[in-house]
Amino acid sequence: GTGLLEGAFSRFHREVSGALTRAGVAHANEHPSDGQLAIDVALPDRRFAIEVNGPTHYGRGEDAQRPSAATRQRERQLRREGWLLRSVPWWEWEKLRGQAGLQEAYMRAVVKSLELEARIINYEVAARMQLAAGDVLDVSRESSSTHALYGLDNPVTAGYGMRCLLARRLIE
């Protein structure tokens, strides 16, 4: 039989996709990015990209496990487009060759690491929003004319006026 390095790399891609399928992870192969790229394996609804990287994606000799300039550029482009990205390097997958259970576990771990990264990003956004909320919710610095314009000095309209003012400030 031929190893991953001796045959077409499309078999490597099929094995990765098969492991995801066995793990119950819905995905798309060769999914178009927002730009001109095709993502090897994508979970499009979650903006997760998994690149199946054979030896041509890496350097030679001492740099055999360092992504090539073209691979790094491609990864930067996908990240700029908002994709969370993981690579499956050929040398890691080769160790799992013929071991479907380990391949499936490996791909589950890849997806879990993407889920964790997404969760961390969401928490960071939430923290920034909470930090900014103090300034947004403090209407004491608004002028008296703005308070009057929104009816904050009238008990009948104050509640609605405050919600309108806060909505404007959140949009700003």
Side-chain angles (χ1 to χ4, degrees), residues 46-100:
R46 296 155 85 178
R47 304 253 336 146
F48 293 173
I50 301 170
E51 290 294 292
V52 180
N53 290 342
T56 59
H57 293 262
Y58 298 92
R60 297 203 167 124
E62 292 179 7
D63 291 333
Q65 292 188 355
R66 184 173 187 264
S68 68
T71 298
R72 289 192 314 270
Q73 174 60 32
R74 177 181 174 80
E75 291 173 355
R76 279 191 299 272
Q77 179 63 35
L78 289 172
R79 285 188 175 103
R80 272 195 301 271
E81 292 179 18
W83 292 90
L84 298 183
L85 176 69
R86 290 295 180 276
S87 295
V88 178
W90 65 270
W91 67 85
E92 288 182 7
W93 196 259
E94 186 66 23
K95 293 174 188 173
L96 307 174
R97 185 149 191 264
Q99 300 177 70

Side-chain angles (χ1 to χ4, degrees), residues 3-167:
L4 286 173
L5 306 181
E6 299 166 15
F9 292 114
S10 61
R11 183 168 59 84
F12 176 20
H13 188 144
R14 282 193 310 272
E15 287 179 8
V16 168
S17 179
L20 283 167
T21 298
R22 287 190 307 277
V25 177
H27 61 281
N29 291 302
E30 298 300 327
H31 182 77
S33 75
D34 302 335
Q36 300 294 319
L37 302 174
I39 299 167
D40 291 340
V41 179
L43 284 65
D45 55 327
R46 296 155 85 178
R47 304 253 336 146
F48 293 173
I50 301 170
E51 290 294 292
V52 180
N53 290 342
T56 59
H57 293 262
Y58 298 92
R60 297 203 167 124
E62 292 179 7
D63 291 333
Q65 292 188 355
R66 184 173 187 264
S68 68
T71 298
R72 289 192 314 270
Q73 174 60 32
R74 177 181 174 80
E75 291 173 355
R76 279 191 299 272
Q77 179 63 35
L78 289 172
R79 285 188 175 103
R80 272 195 301 271
E81 292 179 18
W83 292 90
L84 298 183
L85 176 69
R86 290 295 180 276
S87 295
V88 178
W90 65 270
W91 67 85
E92 288 182 7
W93 196 259
E94 186 66 23
K95 293 174 188 173
L96 307 174
R97 185 149 191 264
Q99 300 177 70
L102 290 177
Q103 290 173 344
E104 186 179 322
Y106 180 95
M107 292 313 300
R108 271 199 202 102
V110 167
V111 172
K112 284 195 180 299
S113 74
L114 287 163
E115 290 169 340
L116 178 61
E117 182 179 352
R119 197 171 302 124
I120 289 168
I121 289 169
N122 287 338
Y123 287 144
E124 288 171 345
V125 169
R128 285 193 302 274
M129 289 173 67
Q130 286 178 345
L131 291 172
D135 292 336
V136 172
L137 299 176
D138 180 10
V139 296
S140 65
R141 287 180 268 202
E142 293 285 350
S143 67
S144 57
S145 61
T146 299
H147 280 251
L149 180 66
Y150 282 90
L152 300 183
D153 51 358
N154 181 339
V156 174
T157 59
Y160 182 74
M162 179 62 79
R163 289 191 296 277
C164 290
L165 178 56
L166 291 175

